[in-house]
Amino acid sequence: MPFLGQDWRSPGWRWVKTEDGWKRCEPFSPALEDGSNQLNDISHTVILTGGDEDEEIYSTEDCEFAAKKRKKDHFRNNTDSQCFYREKWIYVHKESTRERHGYCTLGEAFNRLDFSSAIQDIRRFNYVVKLLQLIAKSQLTSLSGAAQKNYFNILDKIVRKVMEDQYNPRLIKDLLQDLSSTLCILIRGVGKSVLVGNINIWICRLETILLWQQQLKNLQMNKQVNNGLTLSDLPLHMLNNILYRFSDGWDIITLGQVTPTLYMLSEDRQLWKKLCQYHFAEKQFCRHLIPSEKGHIDWKLMYFALQKYYPIKEQYGDTLHFCRHCSILFWKDTGHPCTASDPNTCLMPVSPQHFIDLFKF
């Protein structure tokens, strides 16, 4: 006799965190259920007239198939690509067990962790962009078809946000440059044997990327009119303190272009020396000493020279976290159903590169 109940190996119910604790949630929204009920009320016999005399009467089975298809299309059109998953965490397992069949993939994690909402948070924006850039360089073909579609949907939202808010366009330009280079190689070299989907779809996506690059190239920064206190009104020691807070050399150069005073402060040798010492070990920059005309070490040129050979330290306002006790990947503020006595001792921040390494087998 076949087993008709719920498979005991299934992940179980979905839970959502509320102020009163964790509560079980239904997989579909009430609005979607109402739409499904309306689709189920379709008559079992449909008569379609193709001409004056041609009539075709569909059977009950055909109508049930059409109703299911309309129900599926209704769900796709009225559900966001990531809102189907209520929980914002994913269990990371690399092998099959008796409780779980299969393993977790990079595409599955990318769909489940709600990156569409993460890009709206300024603390996570740079983190998501860096992750998309790493995927574009080496892991794009490892994503499933749904994950690739979700990838470009998130990328579209990022470009729109940059065009509207004018926030960090340089970072997005680097991402689009790496992505366009990867797509050109894949389309010309391997084509349909690697890329999921029709080759024409990828050519269209490449054209869209080139259009985004042109739009960002023509982006004009809006000048904000403010009659109050401005950056130029701050004392020199405060401006110098602000520059010492930057961890990216390009940000220092960009800020130095605002006023002559900031330019003078941005060319300080001690500032660039501290930046080199922060990102690189002493053995690394001792191999690439670049003296200036006066015989001193040109720390500014050294920073950009070392950047070509060694990776720099990355700083993010907020990152994904991994629970070593539960093997769950999640955003820290959304939480996860942890069973540890002290969950904070089990948390480990996950960098973009570490995120990709978790799903390499």
Side-chain angles (χ1 to χ4, degrees), residues 105-118:
T105 63
L106 176 63
E108 183 181 358
F110 191 82
N111 285 335
R112 292 280 294 272
L113 290 172
D114 194 22
F115 290 106
S116 293
S117 300

mmCIF file with all atom_site columns, all heavy atoms in Angstrom, residues 105-118:
data_model
loop_
_atom_site.group_PDB
_atom_site.id
_atom_site.type_symbol
_atom_site.label_atom_id
_atom_site.label_alt_id
_atom_site.label_comp_id
_atom_site.label_asym_id
_atom_site.label_entity_id
_atom_site.label_seq_id
_atom_site.pdbx_PDB_ins_code
_atom_site.Cartn_x
_atom_site.Cartn_y
_atom_site.Cartn_z
_atom_site.occupancy
_atom_site.B_iso_or_equiv
_atom_site.pdbx_formal_charge
_atom_site.auth_seq_id
_atom_site.auth_comp_id
_atom_site.auth_asym_id
_atom_site.auth_atom_id
_atom_site.pdbx_PDB_model_num
ATOM 1   N N   . THR A 1 105 ? 22.565 24.169 -2.800 1.00 0.00 ? 105 THR A N   1
ATOM 2   C CA  . THR A 1 105 ? 23.353 24.739 -3.891 1.00 0.00 ? 105 THR A CA  1
ATOM 3   C C   . THR A 1 105 ? 23.468 26.250 -3.727 1.00 0.00 ? 105 THR A C   1
ATOM 4   O O   . THR A 1 105 ? 22.722 26.874 -2.972 1.00 0.00 ? 105 THR A O   1
ATOM 5   C CB  . THR A 1 105 ? 22.717 24.420 -5.239 1.00 0.00 ? 105 THR A CB  1
ATOM 6   O OG1 . THR A 1 105 ? 21.417 25.034 -5.310 1.00 0.00 ? 105 THR A OG1 1
ATOM 7   C CG2 . THR A 1 105 ? 22.575 22.912 -5.427 1.00 0.00 ? 105 THR A CG2 1
ATOM 8   N N   . LEU A 1 106 ? 24.406 26.831 -4.479 1.00 0.00 ? 106 LEU A N   1
ATOM 9   C CA  . LEU A 1 106 ? 24.591 28.278 -4.459 1.00 0.00 ? 106 LEU A CA  1
ATOM 10  C C   . LEU A 1 106 ? 23.344 28.996 -4.980 1.00 0.00 ? 106 LEU A C   1
ATOM 11  O O   . LEU A 1 106 ? 22.927 30.012 -4.425 1.00 0.00 ? 106 LEU A O   1
ATOM 12  C CB  . LEU A 1 106 ? 25.808 28.649 -5.311 1.00 0.00 ? 106 LEU A CB  1
ATOM 13  C CG  . LEU A 1 106 ? 26.100 30.145 -5.481 1.00 0.00 ? 106 LEU A CG  1
ATOM 14  C CD1 . LEU A 1 106 ? 26.434 30.787 -4.139 1.00 0.00 ? 106 LEU A CD1 1
ATOM 15  C CD2 . LEU A 1 106 ? 27.247 30.354 -6.460 1.00 0.00 ? 106 LEU A CD2 1
ATOM 16  N N   . GLY A 1 107 ? 22.739 28.459 -6.033 1.00 0.00 ? 107 GLY A N   1
ATOM 17  C CA  . GLY A 1 107 ? 21.535 29.080 -6.575 1.00 0.00 ? 107 GLY A CA  1
ATOM 18  C C   . GLY A 1 107 ? 20.374 29.053 -5.596 1.00 0.00 ? 107 GLY A C   1
ATOM 19  O O   . GLY A 1 107 ? 19.607 30.016 -5.483 1.00 0.00 ? 107 GLY A O   1
ATOM 20  N N   . GLU A 1 108 ? 20.230 27.948 -4.869 1.00 0.00 ? 108 GLU A N   1
ATOM 21  C CA  . GLU A 1 108 ? 19.151 27.844 -3.878 1.00 0.00 ? 108 GLU A CA  1
ATOM 22  C C   . GLU A 1 108 ? 19.347 28.861 -2.765 1.00 0.00 ? 108 GLU A C   1
ATOM 23  O O   . GLU A 1 108 ? 18.398 29.523 -2.331 1.00 0.00 ? 108 GLU A O   1
ATOM 24  C CB  . GLU A 1 108 ? 19.121 26.428 -3.303 1.00 0.00 ? 108 GLU A CB  1
ATOM 25  C CG  . GLU A 1 108 ? 17.988 26.174 -2.321 1.00 0.00 ? 108 GLU A CG  1
ATOM 26  C CD  . GLU A 1 108 ? 18.015 24.776 -1.750 1.00 0.00 ? 108 GLU A CD  1
ATOM 27  O OE1 . GLU A 1 108 ? 18.904 24.001 -2.150 1.00 0.00 ? 108 GLU A OE1 1
ATOM 28  O OE2 . GLU A 1 108 ? 17.155 24.464 -0.909 1.00 0.00 ? 108 GLU A OE2 1
ATOM 29  N N   . ALA A 1 109 ? 20.574 29.005 -2.291 1.00 0.00 ? 109 ALA A N   1
ATOM 30  C CA  . ALA A 1 109 ? 20.853 29.991 -1.241 1.00 0.00 ? 109 ALA A CA  1
ATOM 31  C C   . ALA A 1 109 ? 20.635 31.408 -1.745 1.00 0.00 ? 109 ALA A C   1
ATOM 32  O O   . ALA A 1 109 ? 20.131 32.270 -1.020 1.00 0.00 ? 109 ALA A O   1
ATOM 33  C CB  . ALA A 1 109 ? 22.297 29.819 -0.744 1.00 0.00 ? 109 ALA A CB  1
ATOM 34  N N   . PHE A 1 110 ? 21.005 31.656 -2.994 1.00 0.00 ? 110 PHE A N   1
ATOM 35  C CA  . PHE A 1 110 ? 20.835 32.989 -3.555 1.00 0.00 ? 110 PHE A CA  1
ATOM 36  C C   . PHE A 1 110 ? 19.360 33.355 -3.652 1.00 0.00 ? 110 PHE A C   1
ATOM 37  O O   . PHE A 1 110 ? 18.980 34.514 -3.465 1.00 0.00 ? 110 PHE A O   1
ATOM 38  C CB  . PHE A 1 110 ? 21.487 33.044 -4.940 1.00 0.00 ? 110 PHE A CB  1
ATOM 39  C CG  . PHE A 1 110 ? 21.597 34.430 -5.508 1.00 0.00 ? 110 PHE A CG  1
ATOM 40  C CD1 . PHE A 1 110 ? 22.643 35.259 -5.130 1.00 0.00 ? 110 PHE A CD1 1
ATOM 41  C CD2 . PHE A 1 110 ? 20.656 34.912 -6.391 1.00 0.00 ? 110 PHE A CD2 1
ATOM 42  C CE1 . PHE A 1 110 ? 22.746 36.540 -5.647 1.00 0.00 ? 110 PHE A CE1 1
ATOM 43  C CE2 . PHE A 1 110 ? 20.748 36.183 -6.914 1.00 0.00 ? 110 PHE A CE2 1
ATOM 44  C CZ  . PHE A 1 110 ? 21.800 37.006 -6.540 1.00 0.00 ? 110 PHE A CZ  1
ATOM 45  N N   . ASN A 1 111 ? 18.501 32.386 -3.913 1.00 0.00 ? 111 ASN A N   1
ATOM 46  C CA  . ASN A 1 111 ? 17.067 32.652 -3.995 1.00 0.00 ? 111 ASN A CA  1
ATOM 47  C C   . ASN A 1 111 ? 16.422 32.827 -2.632 1.00 0.00 ? 111 ASN A C   1
ATOM 48  O O   . ASN A 1 111 ? 15.425 33.536 -2.499 1.00 0.00 ? 111 ASN A O   1
ATOM 49  C CB  . ASN A 1 111 ? 16.361 31.513 -4.742 1.00 0.00 ? 111 ASN A CB  1
ATOM 50  C CG  . ASN A 1 111 ? 16.600 31.554 -6.224 1.00 0.00 ? 111 ASN A CG  1
ATOM 51  O OD1 . ASN A 1 111 ? 16.881 32.599 -6.797 1.00 0.00 ? 111 ASN A OD1 1
ATOM 52  N ND2 . ASN A 1 111 ? 16.503 30.401 -6.874 1.00 0.00 ? 111 ASN A ND2 1
ATOM 53  N N   . ARG A 1 112 ? 16.968 32.178 -1.623 1.00 0.00 ? 112 ARG A N   1
ATOM 54  C CA  . ARG A 1 112 ? 16.293 32.129 -0.327 1.00 0.00 ? 112 ARG A CA  1
ATOM 55  C C   . ARG A 1 112 ? 16.635 33.284 0.611  1.00 0.00 ? 112 ARG A C   1
ATOM 56  O O   . ARG A 1 112 ? 15.882 33.550 1.552  1.00 0.00 ? 112 ARG A O   1
ATOM 57  C CB  . ARG A 1 112 ? 16.649 30.813 0.377  1.00 0.00 ? 112 ARG A CB  1
ATOM 58  C CG  . ARG A 1 112 ? 16.080 29.565 -0.286 1.00 0.00 ? 112 ARG A CG  1
ATOM 59  C CD  . ARG A 1 112 ? 14.627 29.362 0.084  1.00 0.00 ? 112 ARG A CD  1
ATOM 60  N NE  . ARG A 1 112 ? 14.470 29.073 1.488  1.00 0.00 ? 112 ARG A NE  1
ATOM 61  C CZ  . ARG A 1 112 ? 14.521 27.848 2.018  1.00 0.00 ? 112 ARG A CZ  1
ATOM 62  N NH1 . ARG A 1 112 ? 14.766 26.809 1.233  1.00 0.00 ? 112 ARG A NH1 1
ATOM 63  N NH2 . ARG A 1 112 ? 14.339 27.669 3.298  1.00 0.00 ? 112 ARG A NH2 1
ATOM 64  N N   . LEU A 1 113 ? 17.753 33.968 0.401  1.00 0.00 ? 113 LEU A N   1
ATOM 65  C CA  . LEU A 1 113 ? 18.267 34.891 1.409  1.00 0.00 ? 113 LEU A CA  1
ATOM 66  C C   . LEU A 1 113 ? 17.843 36.345 1.193  1.00 0.00 ? 113 LEU A C   1
ATOM 67  O O   . LEU A 1 113 ? 18.423 37.246 1.773  1.00 0.00 ? 113 LEU A O   1
ATOM 68  C CB  . LEU A 1 113 ? 19.790 34.791 1.487  1.00 0.00 ? 113 LEU A CB  1
ATOM 69  C CG  . LEU A 1 113 ? 20.283 33.473 2.081  1.00 0.00 ? 113 LEU A CG  1
ATOM 70  C CD1 . LEU A 1 113 ? 21.785 33.343 1.952  1.00 0.00 ? 113 LEU A CD1 1
ATOM 71  C CD2 . LEU A 1 113 ? 19.872 33.360 3.547  1.00 0.00 ? 113 LEU A CD2 1
ATOM 72  N N   . ASP A 1 114 ? 16.890 36.600 0.334  1.00 0.00 ? 114 ASP A N   1
ATOM 73  C CA  . ASP A 1 114 ? 16.231 37.907 0.222  1.00 0.00 ? 114 ASP A CA  1
ATOM 74  C C   . ASP A 1 114 ? 17.225 39.039 -0.027 1.00 0.00 ? 114 ASP A C   1
ATOM 75  O O   . ASP A 1 114 ? 17.291 40.009 0.720  1.00 0.00 ? 114 ASP A O   1
ATOM 76  C CB  . ASP A 1 114 ? 15.422 38.178 1.489  1.00 0.00 ? 114 ASP A CB  1
ATOM 77  C CG  . ASP A 1 114 ? 14.448 39.345 1.284  1.00 0.00 ? 114 ASP A CG  1
ATOM 78  O OD1 . ASP A 1 114 ? 14.122 39.635 0.131  1.00 0.00 ? 114 ASP A OD1 1
ATOM 79  O OD2 . ASP A 1 114 ? 14.029 39.946 2.279  1.00 0.00 ? 114 ASP A OD2 1
ATOM 80  N N   . PHE A 1 115 ? 17.980 38.932 -1.100 1.00 0.00 ? 115 PHE A N   1
ATOM 81  C CA  . PHE A 1 115 ? 18.924 39.988 -1.453 1.00 0.00 ? 115 PHE A CA  1
ATOM 82  C C   . PHE A 1 115 ? 18.213 41.212 -2.017 1.00 0.00 ? 115 PHE A C   1
ATOM 83  O O   . PHE A 1 115 ? 18.781 42.305 -2.016 1.00 0.00 ? 115 PHE A O   1
ATOM 84  C CB  . PHE A 1 115 ? 19.957 39.463 -2.448 1.00 0.00 ? 115 PHE A CB  1
ATOM 85  C CG  . PHE A 1 115 ? 20.921 38.489 -1.862 1.00 0.00 ? 115 PHE A CG  1
ATOM 86  C CD1 . PHE A 1 115 ? 20.833 37.129 -2.142 1.00 0.00 ? 115 PHE A CD1 1
ATOM 87  C CD2 . PHE A 1 115 ? 21.916 38.906 -0.999 1.00 0.00 ? 115 PHE A CD2 1
ATOM 88  C CE1 . PHE A 1 115 ? 21.717 36.230 -1.587 1.00 0.00 ? 115 PHE A CE1 1
ATOM 89  C CE2 . PHE A 1 115 ? 22.816 38.014 -0.440 1.00 0.00 ? 115 PHE A CE2 1
ATOM 90  C CZ  . PHE A 1 115 ? 22.714 36.669 -0.743 1.00 0.00 ? 115 PHE A CZ  1
ATOM 91  N N   . SER A 1 116 ? 16.983 41.036 -2.517 1.00 0.00 ? 116 SER A N   1
ATOM 92  C CA  . SER A 1 116 ? 16.230 42.184 -3.035 1.00 0.00 ? 116 SER A CA  1
ATOM 93  C C   . SER A 1 116 ? 15.967 43.208 -1.936 1.00 0.00 ? 116 SER A C   1
ATOM 94  O O   . SER A 1 116 ? 16.048 44.418 -2.167 1.00 0.00 ? 116 SER A O   1
ATOM 95  C CB  . SER A 1 116 ? 14.905 41.713 -3.650 1.00 0.00 ? 116 SER A CB  1
ATOM 96  O OG  . SER A 1 116 ? 15.132 40.957 -4.806 1.00 0.00 ? 116 SER A OG  1
ATOM 97  N N   . SER A 1 117 ? 15.643 42.741 -0.739 1.00 0.00 ? 117 SER A N   1
ATOM 98  C CA  . SER A 1 117 ? 15.431 43.651 0.383  1.00 0.00 ? 117 SER A CA  1
ATOM 99  C C   . SER A 1 117 ? 16.750 44.141 0.963  1.00 0.00 ? 117 SER A C   1
ATOM 100 O O   . SER A 1 117 ? 16.829 45.249 1.492  1.00 0.00 ? 117 SER A O   1
ATOM 101 C CB  . SER A 1 117 ? 14.610 42.963 1.476  1.00 0.00 ? 117 SER A CB  1
ATOM 102 O OG  . SER A 1 117 ? 13.351 42.560 0.986  1.00 0.00 ? 117 SER A OG  1
ATOM 103 N N   . ALA A 1 118 ? 17.795 43.322 0.854  1.00 0.00 ? 118 ALA A N   1
ATOM 104 C CA  . ALA A 1 118 ? 19.088 43.681 1.444  1.00 0.00 ? 118 ALA A CA  1
ATOM 105 C C   . ALA A 1 118 ? 19.703 44.894 0.755  1.00 0.00 ? 118 ALA A C   1
ATOM 106 O O   . ALA A 1 118 ? 20.372 45.703 1.400  1.00 0.00 ? 118 ALA A O   1
ATOM 107 C CB  . ALA A 1 118 ? 20.046 42.493 1.370  1.00 0.00 ? 118 ALA A CB  1
#
